[in-house]
Amino acid sequence: MNPSSPPRSRQIPVIVLAGFLGSGKTTLLNHLLRHRAGTRIGVIVNDFGAIEIDAMTVSGQVGSTVSLGGGCLCCAVDVSELDTYLETLTRPATRLDVIVIEASGLAEPQELVRMLLASDNPHIVYGGLVEVVDAAEFATTRERHPEIDRHLAVADLVVLNKTDRAGDADRLRIREAVAATGSAAAVIPAAYGRIDPELLFDPALRPDSEEKARQLTFEDLYLEERAAAGEEHGDHLHAAYESLDFTSDVPMSPRRLMEFLDSRPEGLYRIKGYVDFGGGDRDNTYALHAVGRFLRFAPRPWTRGEPRLTRLVLIGSGIDAEALHKELADCRETAPRPGEAAPGDTAPADTAPDTAQDAPHKRSMWGVLRYVQQPGDDA
């Protein structure tokens, strides 16, 4: 793998929205569509049964909807067929920013994730598995569908929906059940599916001219209706999670950063931003995309005059922001740790220095390059 490979076009994150019947998936999806802040969302609705109720529920609220009635998505299509639907939504003309697959309540979410990771579509990137749980009916659902433990174990984010109908003891039991599966997923409480969209995707930044020329959207009408009714817009949804910004003008040690990423703590849901690896690759900055246990780097050349900085944002629930900031600061190429070499730290301190100044740095990049997708790579 070549760290100087040319940059790729922006990939569209694909989010799987799963959960058993009645958990509130469609309610959550509609909330995202109403509070998308100008973000263009494509939706694949996967209903179980002949009448596509969920497709009818979201119809008219999004420009590009693919409905798969008559069976659950993981059983009804194979990888190549799913790619056909994704190809429709990733055409340049759609100008989508994110794609959401609302899975049937009877779907196997790990199969959907497997199909996405096996997809040959170069325009998409895995955006995470969001499992919606009915907090008020969790015990009954678990008794009826014991496979929910398997679903929770592979989730990247668990949304405890309907918490307005569940007591503190119920919420604690559900969190303990999630932890018992071995899951390190962030767990977010919600009522009526109201979560902050920025948990799942970044708001789209569009030129002012494009925003002025755009058509009136469902979101505009919804917000106007709320304003006319005198309702407040601020729901303080960000209170359910924590975020951390990290910036460094000192390059990051590839080995140390990979140690941090390989052991990232429970509840840390997303990491996004750009990394400067200094002598590891002086030509490129590396876009970092992590959701749950999924991790990917994408190199792109530094632009003329661009500050050589590492800028990262970490998002999660129950995380220790101060401790994480310190751990990231320790990943910088500063004084070597005991037993390490000088910056580039790939050889013990007592090893003779390499004749090429950047050789140790470049060798240490192999841990990073494992997560750079190359043409023809299997996901």
Side-chain angles (χ1 to χ4, degrees):
M1 299 184 201
N2 182 1
S4 298
S5 57
R8 297 178 178 82
S9 58
R10 179 185 173 278
Q11 292 178 302
I12 302 172
V14 181
I15 298 164
V16 177
L17 183 60
F20 284 95
L21 297 169
S23 60
K25 299 187 303 296
T26 302
T27 302
L28 190 153
L29 176 58
N30 281 326
H31 170 76
L32 295 178
L33 295 172
R34 290 167 174 163
H35 299 83
R36 57 191 183 82
T39 301
R40 295 178 62 88
I41 304 175
V43 179
I44 296 178
V45 178
N46 163 222
D47 277 0
F48 187 84
I51 302 176
E52 301 171 4
I53 300 298
D54 283 352
M56 293 165 60
T57 304
V58 300
S59 64
Q61 297 182 26
V62 63
S64 301
T65 301
V66 177
S67 179
L68 309 176
C72 75
L73 178 59
C74 63
C75 300
V77 300
D78 60 23
V79 174
S80 62
E81 289 173 322
L82 177 60
D83 274 346
T84 300
Y85 294 111
L86 292 174
E87 186 64 32
T88 299
L89 295 178
T90 56
R91 290 171 182 162
T94 65
R95 295 163 41 246
L96 292 179
D97 301 298
V98 63
I99 296 171
V100 178
I101 300 176
E102 184 192 357
S104 158
L106 300 178
E108 283 290 341
Q110 62 266 42
E111 287 301 305
L112 299 176
V113 172
R114 180 191 61 79
M115 287 192 286
L116 285 176
L117 294 179
S119 172
D120 292 327
N121 191 323
H123 306 298
I124 65 169
V125 64
Y126 177 58
L129 168 61
V130 179
E131 181 77 15
V132 184
V133 172
D134 183 339
E137 300 292 335
F138 178 74
T140 303
T141 302
R142 199 179 189 195
E143 182 178 344
R144 190 175 302 162
H145 301 286
E147 62 269 30
I148 193 172
D149 285 1
R150 186 171 67 249
H151 298 182
L152 293 172
V154 297
D156 299 302
L157 177 69
V158 177
V159 177
L160 296 188
N161 197 29
K162 306 184 185 180
T163 51
D164 54 312
R165 295 171 45 200
D168 292 340
D170 294 325
R171 300 182 201 183
L172 179 59
R173 279 193 290 270
I174 298 171
R175 288 179 179 273
E176 290 173 345
V178 173
T181 67
S183 171
V187 181
I188 302 292
Y192 304 101
R194 294 197 296 258
I195 66 171
D196 192 331
E198 289 193 44
L199 262 173
L200 306 183
F201 51 80
D202 301 329
L205 299 176
R206 304 191 185 282
D208 290 341
S209 58
E210 183 176 334
E211 284 300 298
K212 290 174 183 175
R214 68 178 172 82
Q215 215 172 3
L216 193 65
T217 67
F218 178 85
E219 181 188 23
D220 297 325
L221 297 174
Y222 174 73
L223 293 177
E224 283 183 13
E225 182 179 307
R226 289 193 66 186
E231 297 181 32
E232 294 293 331
H233 291 185
D235 292 325
H236 305 290
L237 300 176
H238 61 276
Y241 67 93
E242 300 86 35
S243 63
L244 161 68
D245 296 333
F246 176 82
T247 302
S248 174
D249 57 2
V250 177
M252 306 297 281
S253 159
R255 173 171 291 183
R256 294 179 188 177
L257 184 62
M258 289 311 304
E259 288 175 355
F260 170 83
L261 294 172
D262 287 341
S263 60
R264 50 196 187 273
E266 179 180 329
L268 182 54
Y269 173 57
R270 290 181 69 199
I271 308 176
K272 56 185 180 179
Y274 290 89
V275 182
D276 173 18
F277 286 117
D281 185 353
R282 298 193 184 279
D283 297 327
N284 294 296
T285 179
Y286 281 70
L288 189 164
H289 169 72
V291 55
R293 296 291 103 186
F294 178 82
L295 173 65
R296 180 164 294 170
F297 285 98
R300 70 158 175 82
W302 293 102
T303 59
R304 185 185 297 272
E306 180 181 1
R308 301 214 167 199
L309 298 174
T310 293
R311 293 188 175 114
L312 296 174
V313 177
L314 288 70
I315 302 173
S317 177
I319 59 176
D320 186 335
E322 185 177 346
L324 287 175
H325 194 282
K326 184 179 183 305
E327 288 183 48
L328 282 171
D330 288 343
C331 294
R332 295 175 297 183
E333 286 189 343
T334 54
R337 297 171 179 170
E340 284 187 340
D345 52 6
T346 59
D350 58 355
T351 300
D354 197 295
T355 54
Q357 182 179 359
D358 285 344
H361 299 264
K362 292 183 183 298
R363 287 199 299 270
S364 70
M365 285 293 291
W366 284 109
V368 173
L369 296 178
R370 288 186 297 120
Y371 294 96
V372 174
Q373 186 177 21
Q374 299 294 317
D377 279 357
D378 291 329

